[in-house]
């Protein structure tokens, strides 16, 4: 039964209201969440033809340390021993948790090729780096450039958008770890409510 509603915003600012319910148990491998909140949404309307049954939100992992291994295509639940190894060998990146009602987001700082620092939401579902289109000018990218591809369309809320796709010249890196960088990164520019989103 529906137990309320959650209103959130798409990255372009349109509100989406989702009916909320809960399930007695939600499990992934041996990890279980009791009385798990669940949003009810028409996935086919959101992503036609994608054949995705749903999204497991970051909230499920709130108290479960985990690693996503993209090369092996697995999620690893960490234990005390593996966390100690990660802390000693890894690089610490400051994050900001954005928790509202049933939604949990993570933001990290990112340095663009021109040295400008922005705050981007971590979105593991995104294929590319997404930046607000205001950064096109500061990065010296013209919408009229032949290397910039434009797409005009509507999202599932009926909102018209324009997206600009290109490859950045230079590297994008973490402020405290310039060695953790990506060169010639594919980027999409659009008017959004954030500085940007960083994908996988």
């Amino acid at each position: 039964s529906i137990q309320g509603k959650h209103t959130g915003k798409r990255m372009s600012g349109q509100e989406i209201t989702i009916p909320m319910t809960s399930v007695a148990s939600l499990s992934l491998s041996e990890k279980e969440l009791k009385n798990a909140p669940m949003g009810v949404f028409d996935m086919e309307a959101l992503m036609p033809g994608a054949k995705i049954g749903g999204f497991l939100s970051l909230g499920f992992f709130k108290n479960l340390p985990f690693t996503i291994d993209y090369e092996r295509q697995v999620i690893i639940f960490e234990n005390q021993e593996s966390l100690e190894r990660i802390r000693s060998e890894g690089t610490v990146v400051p994050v900001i948790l954005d928790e509202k009602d049933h939604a949990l987001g993570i933001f990290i700082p990112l340095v663009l090729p021109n040295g400008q620092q922005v705050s981007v939401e971590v979105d593991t579902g995104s294929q590319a780096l997404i930046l607000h289109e205001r950064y096109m000018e500061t990065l010296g990218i013209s919408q009229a450039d032949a290397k910039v591809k434009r797409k005009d369309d509507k999202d599932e809320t009926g909102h018209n958008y324009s997206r600009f796709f290109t490859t950045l010249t230079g590297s994008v890196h973490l402020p405290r770890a310039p060695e953790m960088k990506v060169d010639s990164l594919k980027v999409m520019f659009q008017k959004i409510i954030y500085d940007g989103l960083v994908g996988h």
Side-chain angles (χ1 to χ4, degrees):
S1 65
I2 300 303
Q3 302 167 354
K5 294 184 177 181
H6 170 72
T7 300
K9 288 191 176 184
R10 289 183 45 77
M11 68 174 186
S12 50
Q14 284 60 53
E15 284 192 349
I16 297 179
T17 299
I18 302 172
M20 296 296 296
T21 187
S22 64
V23 292
S25 171
L26 184 64
S27 299
L28 176 64
S29 185
E30 75 280 5
K31 305 300 182 182
E32 180 184 23
L33 182 63
K34 299 277 192 184
N35 301 314
M38 181 178 293
V40 181
F41 201 81
D42 184 351
M43 294 301 299
E44 184 62 24
L46 177 66
M47 303 172 71
K51 296 185 177 158
I52 294 175
F55 294 104
L56 188 57
S57 77
L58 188 58
F60 178 86
F61 300 94
K62 186 175 179 182
N63 298 307
L64 297 170
F66 71 99
T67 300
I68 299 175
D69 186 328
Y70 284 99
E71 289 185 6
R72 293 191 295 156
Q73 298 184 13
V74 295
I75 294 174
I76 302 162
F77 288 106
E78 305 294 351
N79 56 36
Q80 193 61 40
E81 182 181 336
S82 65
L83 280 176
E84 288 175 11
R85 180 179 45 77
I86 289 169
R87 286 188 184 108
S88 67
E89 298 174 2
T91 300
V92 175
V93 178
V95 300
I96 295 172
L97 296 180
D98 182 28
E99 190 169 10
K100 294 175 185 164
D101 297 327
H102 299 289
L104 175 62
I106 291 181
F107 288 80
I108 62 168
L110 201 63
V111 179
L112 302 179
N114 64 352
Q116 186 173 14
Q117 184 170 308
V118 296
S119 176
V120 294
E121 183 180 40
V122 177
D123 181 0
T124 57
S126 294
Q127 301 290 322
L129 174 65
I130 301 171
L131 294 173
H132 192 288
E133 68 176 45
R134 68 176 171 266
Y135 295 113
M136 291 183 78
E137 183 177 352
T138 61
L139 290 166
I141 297 169
S142 169
Q143 294 179 8
D145 191 318
K147 294 179 182 175
V148 176
K149 304 300 178 198
R150 178 177 180 150
K151 180 180 180 183
D152 298 302
D153 207 340
K154 287 185 179 182
D155 64 25
E156 70 277 1
T157 68
H159 173 72
N160 292 314
Y161 64 76
S162 296
R163 294 175 176 169
F164 303 90
F165 300 85
T166 192
T167 300
L168 292 178
T169 301
S171 66
V172 173
H173 68 271
L174 299 170
R176 294 186 184 177
E179 71 280 3
M180 294 182 70
K181 64 177 183 172
V182 180
D183 296 311
S184 304
L185 190 61
K186 290 181 181 177
V187 64
M188 180 185 91
F189 294 95
Q190 182 182 337
K191 285 183 181 172
I192 55 177
I193 59 176
Y194 307 122
D195 286 349
L197 291 86
V198 63
H200 63 253

